[in-house]
Amino acid sequence: MNVTRREFLAISGAVGAGLALSSLGIDLGPAKAYADEVRIDKVKSAKQSTTICPYCGVGCGIICYTDTKAGNIINTEGDPDHPINEGSLCAKGSALYQISSNNPDRLKKVLYRAPGSDKWEEKSWDWALAEIAKRVKKTRDQYFIEKNGKGQEVNRVEAIAHIGSAALDNEECWPVQAMMRALGLVYVEHQARI
Amino acid sequence: MTNHWIDLKNSDCILIMGSNAAANHPISMKWVTKAKENGGKVISVDPRFTQTSAIADFYTALRSGTDIAFLGGMIKYILDNKKYHEDYVVNYTNASFIVGDKYDFSDGLFSGYDPKKRAYDKSLWSFKVDSKGIPEKDAKLANPRSVLQLLKKHYSRYTPEKVSEITGTPVEDLKTAYEMYASTGTKDRAGTIMYAMGWTQHTVGVQNIRAMSIIQLLLGNIGLPGGGVNALRGESNVQGSTDQAILFHIWPGYLKASVASLPTLDEYNKKFTPKVADPLAANWWQNYPKYSVSLLKSFFGDTATKENGFGYSWLPKLDDGQNCSWLNLFDSMYDGKIKGFFAWGQNPACSGANSNKVRKALGKLEWLVNVNIFDNETGSFWKGPGEDPKAIKTEVFMLPCAASVEKEGSIINSGRWNQWRYKACDPPGDAKPDGDIMIELMHEIKELYKKEGGKFPTPILNLKWDYVNDKGEFDAHKMAKELNGYFLADVEVQGQKFKKGDLVPSFAFLQADGTTSSANWLYCNSYTGKGNMMARRNKPDPTGLGLFSEWAWCWPVNRRVLYNRASVDLDGNPWNPKRPLIKWDGKAWVGDVPDGGWPPMSDKEKTKYPFIMKPEGFGYLFGPGLNDGPFPEHYEPLECPVPENAMSKQFINPTVKIFGGEMDKHFTCDPRYPIVGTTYRVTEHWQTGIMTRWQPWLIEAQPQVFVEMSEELAKLRGITNGEMVKVSSARGEVQCVAMVTTRFRPFKLGKLTVHQVGVPWCFGWVTPKEGGESANLLTPTVGDPNTMIPESKAFMVNVEKLKGGA
């Protein structure tokens, strides 16, 4: 039988987890209860969306299940329709669930560390971006190189450097290099070099 | 990758060398396994018996840093035993080209070497050309100055015995591996290579890959399904970030960064647009001005005009020969010359070679902006081990950004498949998508310059920066369309009419007169009038080869296998009719998007040679463009365990830059550091571990740094499995759990016995507390002379019991 993913979800949802699991011949009570719980979430309140694994360069497909009320991801799993991974994932891809808001250790605030300080201070975006912009301008204007030793026009800045990132989307990689180059930076590098 | 992941299943023999794909690209093994089920063989060559080796049909070991010796021996085997695909070699490679009289090679050095500059005069390696400027050829491959004869001569020295003395690989194993792989030189068979950082992170990194490329060309494996040269990319979008040129030496789409000696756009375009005499050479880069002008239109929008050279002079220029790559960047930072620094989605305090130097360099900055989803060793460097926060004046801004599932956009995998990702949820707390951070920060800077003026404000003010939606939020679709490109006027191109504002259907329509934009010509065709091609999810597979041409989109123009016109004979029929990647039906090509639509080679008037990105149109057995020679040659790593290079008097690669600073110490054949060290990754962690060390499931599975060593070495050092030991190099030390296994074995190099150990580089002091440190505290500041990729895979260490325990 050729079953598409959506049909599979519908079938497995209709017959329940018990039938499929009981054939293993062991007591799967707790697992079944958990599976039912997840399925109820998935079916009743979750939104499915596809993503591509953020780790290695294989590019495996993953389905995210988002709780439409709470707004957080409640489950992730390999995308069986994806031609490369056909639903399989490695240890990292399988753990994608723990990367988003489910992870209590995510950075949630803008942090600032003053010169010589031994601690972080929480700051607002408005403050931080304005302060960074001022520093960029000050350093750039102070160290801007209009001409090189031979008198050739070069219009560059060597006192500011940028690295990163291969973890960005293409639509972010392009503007990040564009803004750094518009500022005159030549030390523009990232993971591909190492 | 010239090919793509699923295509591995079409291979008759897969060589996995310089990669532990089973651990680091686990899902690739699905397709390696399919190849095995189809009768294909797998060879694993690695200093250590890895998870990949465990599924291989044949495994053998080599000492880190000796791959060229191993591969050079294979080239010799192929030539001596005439295992090469002769029709392919004669017609599609430069085997028949005659090399000019000034090329020479003697005792490890090519002609033209200047020891003061540590550089070659590469003009001495050019091809001999006729009166029209077309390379002279000898189709019989008999001329002693033909590429094939010079190749034969060069590798005649790479005898199995000599190779074995260098690599430590038993002679019998060499012969087995060579025979298995060379079996793909028949026209009905295809072999492929899977390599990763095990080949690139060496002072001969590029030449490792060149050596394999020569093998692939000799065996007629490039362009074929199941063939190609396949670099396994370690990051989900490192292909894309390279395509978009977050690198000092290129502009998006692999255009060259401008230099001081080219003050105008005309001079720039002229310099980088090759002129080729042979009418049958496609010379694809003749389109260079179309791509550069379209890029400048994306940079500067309406302010880029013909009169101002489309804003060419607004972009920074390097001095000729100036190298701003990673190692030089941190060297300059260490010297106090860099004042401000953006570390955006990257953790150099653990990922940079010689990380102690990187960490010290960070302390010399005035300000540091660190954008990440988790705390990391770079942003928090000022409170790291041995640091005194009071003494560190660097201001640090730590900006929380969105994870991949919290924003929308595309990433391109190793097989060049560009796939769209959707947003599943909002980022936590105040965290923002990186695109928004960029847009807002540059907006602030623009406003400052508008208000206050300042040095050379033109490029800042003129930068086109409208990639936002109605709410002012970053709009990935808008940027994706700009990457593709627009028509900027009503025009007619190649008989087709376009309106201003139309998306350009493919890069064949881009113009050099400012009537088109394209932020990256390679991405032209990815988001067209037909919609977002990257989001496609259709799965027809008419060839049965797993191309899945309607799933997502790949560059260039959705061509799934590069150089695919080399997969057919001169009449356009597949070398192997059972694997018809493309086929000429008399009028057009059927199958994959062909590498140009010209008829096959037997149509001597209308055809073009298949290697369209090379100026002459032929695959390069002789490659005169690299800094360290037209043929790969074995040199020892900067730090190595042997007193001399068994192949020549030239000990290390003569063209590497030697860093001489106080933190750049390196020792070779030093009794204090007698063991070869290497670095690698584990499945559960990713790169420096900054995204994975914060995840409970993963850190439980792989909690702590270890050093893997042989039973023989452990016995020698009195070390037992599981105890804490110290691994040290000239530059730093890491305390590790000893993992004593049979996966490493001592190498016999002639009379010498050499041990090797390996340390993963995915740990760091921020988290977990008992997890240990990065292996990059040990690695040297030295890079490949072409790419400047650091030599993190072969260096010298010592391993000792930790007195008093951990």
Side-chain angles (χ1 to χ4, degrees):
Chain A
M1 184 169 67
N2 200 359
V3 184
T4 69
R5 166 156 189 85
R6 287 190 185 282
E7 287 162 355
F8 172 76
L9 281 177
I11 294 164
S12 58
V15 299
L19 273 178
L21 298 178
S22 61
S23 62
L24 297 173
I26 47 172
D27 178 14
L28 285 171
K32 177 183 176 299
Y34 173 73
D36 283 348
E37 198 180 313
V38 171
R39 178 162 298 104
I40 286 163
D41 278 346
K42 278 183 197 171
V43 174
K44 291 197 174 161
S45 66
K47 178 193 84 176
Q48 290 182 27
S49 59
T50 57
T51 190
I52 302 298
C53 181
Y55 297 110
C56 83
V58 173
C60 296
I62 298 178
I63 299 174
C64 295
Y65 294 85
T66 306
D67 183 324
T68 47
K69 286 173 197 146
N72 62 320
I73 294 174
I74 53 170
N75 187 42
T76 59
E77 62 186 46
D79 180 352
D81 286 339
H82 198 284
I84 295 175
N85 62 311
E86 298 178 328
S88 321
L89 291 174
C90 75
K92 289 188 295 294
S94 303
L96 186 69
Y97 169 75
Q98 294 192 329
I99 200 99
S100 190
S101 52
N102 307 306
N103 192 311
D105 292 316
R106 278 284 297 276
L107 290 172
K108 298 185 193 71
K109 296 282 179 194
V110 174
L111 300 175
Y112 171 72
R113 182 262 179 186
S117 169
D118 61 357
K119 61 178 190 307
W120 291 113
E121 300 164 45
E122 285 187 11
K123 295 286 185 183
S124 71
W125 276 107
D126 286 351
W127 180 87
L129 293 179
E131 291 300 311
I132 295 167
K134 277 187 228 165
R135 279 157 189 73
V136 168
K137 182 167 190 302
K138 181 168 176 279
T139 308
R140 181 183 182 273
D141 286 355
Q142 187 179 345
Y143 295 100
F144 195 81
I145 304 170
E146 280 159 342
K147 289 190 172 160
N148 66 9
K150 288 183 185 168
Q152 295 163 318
E153 188 181 83
V154 292
N155 290 326
R156 66 172 184 251
V157 177
E158 295 183 7
I160 307 176
H162 167 93
I163 59 162
S165 172
L168 296 173
D169 292 343
N170 286 311
E171 293 73 22
E172 297 166 333
C173 290
W174 196 90
V176 87
Q177 65 81 36
M179 76 183 260
M180 296 305 166
R181 291 197 153 107
L183 290 170
L185 270 62
V186 284
Y187 284 109
V188 176
E189 288 278 289
H190 82 291
Q191 284 93 338
R193 186 75 67 190
I194 57 173
Chain B
M1 292 170 89
T2 55
N3 296 40
H4 60 101
W5 296 105
I6 297 171
D7 184 63
L8 294 168
K9 75 170 182 171
N10 298 315
S11 196
D12 296 298
C13 189
I14 301 175
L15 173 62
I16 308 180
M17 188 168 169
S19 151
N20 178 10
N24 298 323
H25 302 86
I27 302 304
S28 69
M29 300 316 274
K30 180 188 283 278
W31 302 104
V32 173
T33 307
K34 286 260 173 27
K36 284 185 74 172
E37 285 168 8
N38 295 338
K41 299 288 181 204
V42 177
I43 305 170
S44 162
V45 182
D46 198 292
R48 178 178 59 127
F49 185 89
T50 66
Q51 294 95 322
T52 306
S53 315
I55 66 95
D57 295 282
F58 181 72
Y59 164 76
T60 192
L62 90 176
R63 166 172 65 99
S64 266
T66 63
D67 302 75
I68 289 175
F70 188 101
L71 298 173
M74 191 182 314
I75 294 172
K76 176 175 164 58
Y77 175 88
I78 292 166
L79 294 171
D80 287 354
N81 297 287
K82 231 183 160 206
K83 295 284 186 183
Y84 55 87
H85 183 171
E86 193 167 2
D87 286 346
Y88 186 106
V89 165
V90 170
N91 291 297
Y92 298 158
T93 79
N94 67 13
S96 65
F97 286 31
I98 308 299
V99 176
D101 298 335
K102 289 177 183 159
Y103 166 77
D104 197 10
F105 176 82
S106 171
D107 206 12
L109 283 176
F110 297 91
S111 50
Y113 184 64
D114 180 342
K116 279 187 199 138
K117 291 185 187 160
R118 298 184 62 78
Y120 285 105
D121 173 1
K122 292 188 271 186
S123 69
L124 271 57
W125 308 337
S126 52
F127 298 115
K128 205 170 179 184
V129 293
D130 65 16
S131 56
K132 289 184 209 148
I134 299 173
E136 287 183 19
K137 302 184 189 80
D138 172 23
K140 294 197 175 104
L141 310 178
N143 185 317
R145 295 296 290 179
S146 69
V147 165
L148 194 89
Q149 292 303 326
L150 289 175
L151 187 73
K152 217 176 233 179
K153 189 177 165 198
H154 189 88
Y155 292 103
S156 62
R157 302 171 299 132
Y158 288 65
T159 61
E161 294 72 24
K162 178 71 84 179
V163 170
S164 176
E165 186 190 335
I166 293 169
T167 59
T169 313
V171 168
E172 278 313 304
D173 282 9
L174 290 171
K175 287 181 180 165
T176 305
Y178 293 170
E179 193 181 332
M180 280 175 80
Y181 198 75
S183 73
T184 64
T186 56
K187 68 176 192 172
D188 59 337
R189 285 169 65 80
T192 195
I193 170 67
M194 296 166 71
Y195 75 88
M197 310 315 283
W199 266 3
T200 57
Q201 290 178 334
H202 292 280
T203 45
V204 291
V206 173
Q207 297 285 9
N208 282 334
I209 295 144
R210 269 279 299 147
M212 192 67 211
S213 304
I214 290 172
I215 290 169
Q216 290 298 72
L217 286 171
L218 286 173
L219 298 174
N221 280 335
I222 294 184
L224 276 65
V229 176
N230 294 309
L232 314 186
R233 295 293 216 155
E235 310 227 7
S236 61
N237 196 36
V238 74
Q239 183 63 56
S241 53
T242 306
D243 298 339
Q244 315 317 335
I246 311 180
L247 290 166
F248 90 92
H249 69 295
I250 48 172
W251 285 352
Y254 302 92
L255 305 182
K256 310 281 186 190
S258 58
V259 291
S261 65
L262 302 170
T264 66
L265 177 63
D266 284 348
E267 284 159 288
Y268 168 84
N269 278 336
K270 197 174 164 200
K271 169 91 175 174
F272 297 120
T273 307
K275 285 208 165 55
V276 176
D278 192 336
L280 295 186
N283 183 22
W284 196 265
W285 283 115
Q286 68 177 293
N287 298 304
Y288 197 99
K290 297 174 185 170
Y291 307 153
S292 62
V293 171
S294 296
L295 169 66
L296 288 167
K297 287 298 294 179
S298 288
F299 259 110
F300 298 117
D302 293 340
T303 61
T305 62
K306 198 166 188 303
E307 291 68 39
N308 62 26
F310 299 105
Y312 167 79
S313 63
W314 301 338
L315 288 169
K317 290 189 184 66
L318 296 158
D319 284 350
D320 293 70
Q322 185 180 4
N323 188 305
C324 293
S325 63
W326 182 279
L327 293 175
N328 290 325
L329 186 164
F330 284 100
D331 199 51
S332 184
M333 192 187 294
Y334 184 79
D335 286 344
K337 292 176 192 158
I338 292 175
K339 312 292 179 188
F341 182 45
F342 289 91
W344 201 309
Q346 192 164 7
N347 186 21
C350 287
S351 63
N354 197 359
S355 289
N356 276 322
K357 181 179 174 183
V358 172
R359 294 174 187 189
K360 287 282 168 235
L362 294 172
K364 299 187 179 187
L365 293 166
E366 290 176 8
W367 52 268
L368 162 65
V369 178
N370 183 226
V371 187
N372 217 309
I373 65 172
F374 289 112
D375 186 14
N376 59 83
E377 288 75 12
T378 301
S380 289
F381 81 96
W382 46 273
K383 54 176 172 172
E387 304 288 1
D388 172 13
K390 281 192 207 71
I392 294 172
K393 303 297 178 205
T394 312
E395 281 184 291
V396 186
F397 299 84
M398 179 104 89
L399 307 182
C401 59
S404 60
V405 291
E406 297 157 0
K407 61 188 180 185
E408 194 175 14
S410 72
I411 58 170
I412 189 158
N413 77 359
S414 207
R416 295 167 289 101
W417 289 21
N418 202 7
Q419 307 187 86
W420 197 258
R421 299 197 287 205
Y422 297 90
K423 177 178 171 175
C425 64
D426 287 328
D430 292 346
K432 278 187 197 210
D434 299 85
D436 287 295
I437 302 173
M438 289 165 204
I439 289 287
E440 291 173 33
L441 177 59
M442 195 58 186
H443 183 70
E444 287 279 346
I445 296 170
K446 276 172 168 268
E447 287 300 309
L448 269 186
Y449 274 89
K450 212 181 276 174
K451 210 162 66 188
E452 299 174 7
K455 285 276 169 69
F456 200 52
T458 316
I460 297 172
L461 299 178
N462 289 353
L463 178 67
K464 185 171 173 301
W465 208 241
D466 58 355
Y467 309 110
V468 290
N469 62 21
D470 297 342
K471 294 179 207 157
E473 295 161 340
F474 176 69
D475 185 339
H477 289 273
K478 234 174 183 172
M479 188 64 236
K481 288 176 187 170
E482 188 72 50
L483 281 166
N484 179 85
Y486 293 98
F487 287 100
L488 304 173
D490 296 350
V491 286
E492 188 173 327
V493 186
Q494 298 174 22
Q496 289 189 50
K497 284 185 179 161
F498 298 97
K499 286 224 151 41
K500 182 179 175 178
D502 285 353
L503 290 158
V504 180
S506 92
F507 52 62
F509 295 89
L510 293 177
Q511 300 297 308
D513 59 3
T515 56
T516 55
S517 69
S518 176
N520 188 333
W521 69 276
L522 275 177
Y523 284 59
C524 196
N525 186 237
S526 64
Y527 206 129
T528 66
K530 291 178 186 164
N532 182 352
M533 307 298 275
M534 301 168 280
R536 294 184 303 171
R537 283 176 67 89
N538 306 318
K539 290 170 70 178
D541 180 25
T543 63
L545 295 171
L547 297 177
F548 293 106
S549 303
E550 293 179 36
W551 183 276
W553 175 89
C554 89
W555 70 247
V557 288
N558 209 30
R559 180 175 306 135
R560 302 279 158 151
V561 176
L562 299 179
Y563 299 115
N564 54 24
R565 284 194 304 121
S567 70
V568 294
D569 63 18
L570 302 188
D571 294 321
N573 296 312
W575 293 115
N576 178 354
K578 287 181 188 158
R579 295 196 196 111
L581 179 61
I582 61 166
K583 186 179 165 40
W584 181 254
D585 72 0
K587 287 176 190 160
W589 294 99
V590 182
D592 193 13
V593 176
D595 237 329
W598 308 286
M601 294 269 283
S602 54
D603 184 340
K604 286 177 185 157
E605 303 219 325
K606 291 185 191 151
T607 193
K608 301 278 183 198
Y609 305 129
F611 284 86
I612 61 173
M613 303 310 285
K614 288 287 169 203
E616 306 87 359
F618 292 79
Y620 270 20
L621 293 172
F622 184 87
L626 294 178
N627 292 334
D628 45 356
F631 290 135
E633 171 67 4
H634 169 71
Y635 302 110
E636 288 294 330
L638 178 71
E639 288 189 331
C640 70
V642 293
E644 56 190 21
N645 178 355
M647 199 58 83
S648 74
K649 284 208 187 71
Q650 187 56 48
F651 196 30
I652 63 165
N653 187 332
T655 57
V656 296
K657 173 177 175 176
I658 306 289
F659 288 81
E662 58 194 353
M663 294 201 75
D664 303 317
K665 289 194 200 96
H666 52 94
F667 297 121
T668 214
C669 269
D670 187 301
R672 289 172 293 176
Y673 305 105
I675 302 163
V676 178
T678 196
T679 63
Y680 45 78
R681 297 196 290 144
V682 296
T683 306
E684 294 78 5
H685 290 296
W686 186 66
Q687 313 300 55
T688 70
I690 205 50
M691 279 164 68
T692 50
R693 280 188 269 130
W694 290 103
Q695 296 188 44
W697 294 340
L698 295 172
I699 203 65
E700 184 179 346
Q702 199 65 258
Q704 195 172 16
V705 68
F706 57 83
V707 55
E708 195 166 349
M709 67 184 80
S710 67
E711 292 177 336
E712 290 85 350
L713 177 63
K715 198 174 166 197
L716 211 62
R717 286 285 196 262
I719 292 166
T720 49
N721 187 36
E723 78 172 293
M724 287 300 289
V725 298
K726 182 173 91 174
V727 183
S728 54
S729 78
R731 297 154 297 275
E733 59 181 64
V734 182
Q735 294 185 8
C736 306
V737 175
M739 184 192 279
V740 181
T741 75
T742 53
R743 296 189 286 249
F744 268 121
R745 301 296 311 278
F747 292 102
K748 294 263 181 241
L749 313 177
K751 288 175 187 163
L752 204 65
T753 298
V754 169
H755 296 276
Q756 181 166 348
V757 297
V759 183
W761 59 282
C762 52
F763 294 96
W765 62 268
V766 162
T767 197
K769 289 303 169 203
E770 304 298 323
E773 269 282 19
S774 169
N776 273 318
L777 295 173
L778 306 169
T779 53
T781 303
V782 67
D784 176 275
N786 300 287
T787 61
M788 288 298 281
I789 291 180
E791 188 159 63
S792 311
K793 288 290 179 274
F795 51 94
M796 297 303 290
V797 298
N798 192 22
V799 182
E800 303 160 85
K801 283 173 85 76
L802 199 62
K803 291 184 185 73

